[in-house]
Amino acid sequence: MKRNIFFADLTHTGIVINADIFPYGIGLVAAFAKRELGDDVNIRLFKFPEKLNKALKNEIPDVMCFSNYAWNENLTLAFVRHIKLVNPNTVIVFGGPNFPLDKDERKSYLEEHTDIDFYIKWDGELAFTALLKELMNRNMKSKSFKRDISDMANVCFVHQGVYFEGPDQRVLNLNDMPSPYLTGMFDEFFEDQLTPITETTRGCPYSCTFCNDGHTSRSKIFRKSDEFISRELEYIAKRTKNSPQLMLSDLNFGMFKEDITTSHTIKRMIDKYNWPQRLETSTGKSHPKRLIESNNI
C-alpha cells in the first residue's frame, strides 16, 4: 500500500514572504526517504501555508512532517491541530532546531505539544527513513512503535508519561545523501520568489552557546565532494530566475582550503549565468587570509 507523506517548511506570507528560501531541510529528508522507499511512498513538499491548506482539503496524509523554527512554530502548530482534528491517526513528525537541548526540557516540550508524535533531533535523513519503515511495518500505528522501540537514533517521543530519546546520530557521508535539486524534487520552487539554499559542509568545530550547532556532537566537519557541489550549483544556476541570491548554510564558509575550490565554482556560475549576484553565508572564524582570498574570488 502506497503511503502519502507530506513535508512542510512553512513561512508567513501576510505582507511579504517571511522566510523566503527553498525548504532545504525537508528536501534533504524527503529525497533520501524517496530513494530508499521508492514507489512505497508518495511525497509532496510545501512551503506556503495556502498551498498546504488547499492540499489538506483534498486529502489528509498518512504522515505529516514539519520543519520547526522560531519564526514558524505557531503557524505550524495551527496546522497540526487541524490535521489531528480531521484525522487523529495521521502521524505528526517534527524536526528542526526549535527544540531544547536538555532532555527534561525536551520532555516538557513534547508534553506541552501532545499532537507531535515524534521529534527528530539533529540530522533527519537516516532517522526519518528508519522511523517511517518501522511505522509502515506497523500499519502506521505510532502507539505500536512507541510500545516496542525505545532507542531509535535521533528519534524523541513521550509514551505513557515517559520520555524516550535515541542516541545522537550524524550523516557521515554527505555525498550519499541525494540532492533535492538534482533529483528534481525542488523544480516547482524555482517558479516562486524563493532564494536557493544549499550546503557544502555540515558541522562546526566551535561551541558557541547561542548556536544550535554548538553542541559537542556537531563538532566534526563533513563535506560534499567538489564534483557534487559543482553539479548542484550548475543545476541551480540554470534554473534560477526569481532570486539574484544564493544562500549557503555552511557555518564557516571560506575557512577551509576546499572552500577556495567552491569559490571558483561559484565564480564560474557568475561568469556563465550572471548568477548569483549576491552570496549569503556565515563566514569562518579563523584563517583570515583564506577568507579574504575566497571573497576576492
Side-chain angles (χ1 to χ4, degrees):
M1 179 180 179
K2 180 175 285 191
R3 297 296 182 176
N4 292 320
I5 317 295
F6 284 7
F7 288 83
D9 177 359
L10 298 178
T11 177
H12 289 276
T13 58
I15 299 176
V16 297
I17 301 173
N18 177 253
D20 59 345
I21 57 175
F22 278 54
Y24 188 58
I26 61 170
L28 289 168
V29 177
F32 184 76
K34 183 62 178 176
R35 189 188 75 182
E36 296 299 299
L37 296 169
D39 292 337
D40 290 338
V41 294
N42 178 47
I43 290 177
R44 297 182 64 184
L45 305 182
F46 298 90
K47 181 69 182 180
F48 300 107
E50 298 85 358
K51 291 185 178 180
L52 177 58
N53 188 52
K54 183 178 179 179
L56 291 173
K57 289 180 179 179
N58 294 322
E59 65 171 321
I60 300 295
D62 297 293
V63 181
M64 183 74 236
C65 309
F66 290 99
S67 285
N68 183 32
Y69 298 96
W71 56 80
N72 71 358
E73 182 183 56
N74 289 340
L75 176 62
T76 296
L77 289 173
F79 272 94
V80 170
R81 288 191 293 270
H82 168 72
I83 293 167
K84 282 293 193 180
L85 185 64
V86 176
N87 184 7
N89 293 322
T90 292
V91 180
I92 303 294
V93 182
F94 269 39
N98 194 37
F99 191 50
L101 294 177
D102 178 79
K103 288 187 177 182
D104 288 337
E105 292 180 9
R106 285 175 172 171
K107 179 176 185 287
S108 297
Y109 184 91
L110 292 174
E111 287 178 330
E112 180 181 357
H113 304 295
T114 55
D115 286 335
I116 301 173
D117 293 298
F118 301 99
Y119 206 113
I120 296 180
K121 59 180 181 175
W122 311 126
D123 296 354
E125 295 97 329
L126 302 176
F128 174 75
T129 296
L131 171 62
L132 185 54
K133 286 179 178 178
E134 290 292 344
L135 288 172
M136 292 170 69
N137 290 337
R138 290 168 169 76
N139 197 28
M140 309 309 292
K141 297 185 184 299
S142 60
K143 289 183 179 179
S144 173
F145 174 96
K146 291 180 178 182
R147 183 182 63 245
D148 298 338
I149 299 177
S150 61
D151 62 349
M152 179 173 286
N154 282 8
V155 176
C156 309
F157 61 89
V158 171
H159 180 55
Q160 295 181 345
V162 180
Y163 175 68
F164 297 92
E165 175 179 320
D168 292 343
Q169 177 193 64
R170 294 194 60 186
V171 171
L172 305 181
N173 185 359
L174 295 183
N175 292 317
D176 191 44
M177 297 296 105
S179 165
Y181 292 102
L182 297 176
T183 57
M185 192 168 275
F186 273 176
D187 282 0
E188 63 178 293
F189 297 111
F190 286 107
E191 303 299 320
D192 299 314
Q193 299 292 326
L194 296 174
T195 296
I197 178 174
T198 187
E199 65 183 350
T200 71
T201 61
R202 192 181 295 186
C204 180
Y206 302 104
S207 302
C208 303
T209 55
F210 62 82
C211 181
N212 184 67
D213 282 276
H215 192 269
T216 54
S217 68
R218 314 296 293 172
S219 61
K220 189 170 182 178
I221 311 302
F222 299 103
R223 180 179 181 83
K224 294 177 181 175
S225 69
D226 294 334
E227 192 270 339
F228 191 125
I229 294 167
S230 179
R231 285 194 300 119
E232 193 170 56
L233 289 177
E234 181 91 23
Y235 190 98
I236 295 169
K238 281 183 178 178
R239 291 160 177 79
T240 299
K241 53 188 176 182
N242 293 325
S243 174
Q245 179 170 291
L246 168 67
M247 182 177 290
L248 293 180
S249 64
D250 296 36
L251 298 174
N252 293 283
F253 185 72
M255 188 173 79
F256 306 108
K257 61 181 184 298
E258 295 89 350
D259 294 334
I260 300 303
T261 302
T262 302
S263 298
H264 283 293
T265 300
I266 295 172
K267 177 61 165 59
R268 287 202 308 273
M269 300 302 114
I270 295 170
D271 293 340
K272 188 174 181 179
Y273 299 101
N274 192 32
W275 182 91
Q277 298 171 20
R278 185 168 66 247
L279 173 67
E280 181 173 340
T281 189
S282 296
T283 52
K285 289 84 175 171
S286 63
H287 296 284
K289 291 183 179 179
R290 193 173 290 154
L291 291 170
I292 293 171
E293 180 182 0
S294 172
N295 275 275
N296 286 341
I297 295 168

